[in-house]
Amino acid sequence: MADNLKDLSCPACGKKMHKIFMPDQGVNLDVCVDGCGGIYFDNREFKQFDEPHEDITPLLDVFAGRVYETVDQSIDRVCPICGNKMVKNFASSKHQIQVDECYHCGGKFLDFGELDKIRAQYNTEAERTGDAIKELYAVAGKEIANVKIKHNAVKSNYAETRDGFAYYAPPIRKKTNFAIILLVILVILAFVCIYTNFDLSKILSYKI
């Protein structure tokens, strides 16, 4: 998505945001310089700033010597680009830092200081992706195990007849369980692909 040209109001404190040009990335970031110090990233911009080797000198220069008060996290925030309600999501698989994200246009908003914390979590995109994939396998494994447990519980309800034959779950049930497992895996894979912004082939070729 191209840089937005709008004058934005901060989702956290409502004050006018300033556009700060980031030469290494070639984009403008919307920064609440005179308010709470929050930063708004257009769709896909955030991935260019979330690692320590990516230069953010212009931001550091803007924030130098300034002190910002903590804003109220309980108030719903609205995307300054499209006006939709933003949702809080964890910034990584470590589940330590939550940021505001717009599901409609893909924008992200970080409160003051959150970018520094996120950049300190991983040194490279490979490390971040590795953690995300491990979480994917862990979650998928639990979901598959739960489906198997439920399937076995259903089978245990069938008793043997007087002729010595036992009733088992009909083929349609087995197909349904397989479909559930496949659906769970696909949903999680889609989430990770969107979240980490990389190709599915990287997941399929990853070795634990």
Side-chain angles (χ1 to χ4, degrees):
M1 181 177 178
D3 260 349
N4 76 79
L5 302 177
K6 298 170 62 177
D7 289 331
L8 305 186
S9 296
C10 177
C13 70
K15 293 188 177 180
K16 181 181 177 180
M17 305 185 84
H18 296 253
K19 294 191 182 297
I20 307 299
F21 182 66
M22 310 297 289
D24 274 25
Q25 294 82 3
V27 300
N28 287 290
L29 294 183
D30 295 279
V31 184
C32 189
V33 178
D34 301 320
C36 65
I39 309 170
Y40 180 84
F41 298 84
D42 292 321
N43 185 20
R44 299 186 183 277
E45 283 183 350
F46 178 64
K47 299 300 295 180
Q48 303 178 65
F49 300 92
D50 61 352
E51 294 162 17
H53 64 85
E54 295 165 331
D55 185 33
I56 59 169
T57 300
L59 275 179
L60 299 178
D61 291 342
V62 168
F63 291 141
R66 294 177 180 267
V67 178
Y68 296 102
E69 295 183 3
T70 303
V71 293
D72 189 350
Q73 297 287 341
S74 65
I75 298 177
D76 289 340
R77 296 176 178 179
V78 175
C79 178
I81 292 293
C82 64
N84 283 274
K85 181 180 176 181
M86 304 188 83
V87 179
K88 289 193 178 296
N89 285 323
F90 286 108
S92 74
S93 296
K94 291 185 181 294
H95 292 188
Q96 295 172 345
I97 305 162
Q98 285 187 309
V99 301
D100 297 282
E101 183 174 1
C102 177
Y103 287 166
H104 183 75
C105 70
K108 286 183 171 64
F109 178 79
L110 274 63
D111 291 306
F112 180 68
E114 287 181 340
L115 181 60
D116 291 336
K117 295 177 182 178
I118 292 171
R119 284 164 61 89
Q121 288 187 320
Y122 299 97
N123 289 320
T124 65
E125 182 64 26
E127 291 180 9
R128 187 184 305 276
T129 299
D131 256 11
I133 295 174
K134 288 178 182 178
E135 182 181 36
L136 162 67
Y137 278 103
V139 173
K142 291 178 181 178
E143 293 296 333
I144 292 172
N146 287 336
V147 170
K148 288 182 177 179
I149 291 172
K150 291 178 181 178
H151 176 69
N152 291 334
V154 170
K155 288 177 64 176
S156 67
N157 289 330
Y158 290 85
E160 289 191 15
T161 66
R162 288 180 296 178
D163 298 323
F165 296 99
Y167 291 104
Y168 292 97
I172 185 63
R173 185 181 302 279
K174 294 180 181 179
K175 292 180 181 179
T176 300
N177 286 337
F178 175 77
I180 292 173
I181 293 172
L182 183 61
L183 179 61
V184 169
I185 294 175
L186 290 176
V187 169
I188 297 174
L189 284 175
F191 168 77
V192 173
C193 285
I194 295 172
Y195 177 70
T196 59
N197 195 26
F198 70 101
D199 294 333
L200 180 61
S201 60
K202 293 185 178 180
I203 295 179
L204 298 177
S205 63
Y206 181 82
K207 295 182 179 179
I208 300 298

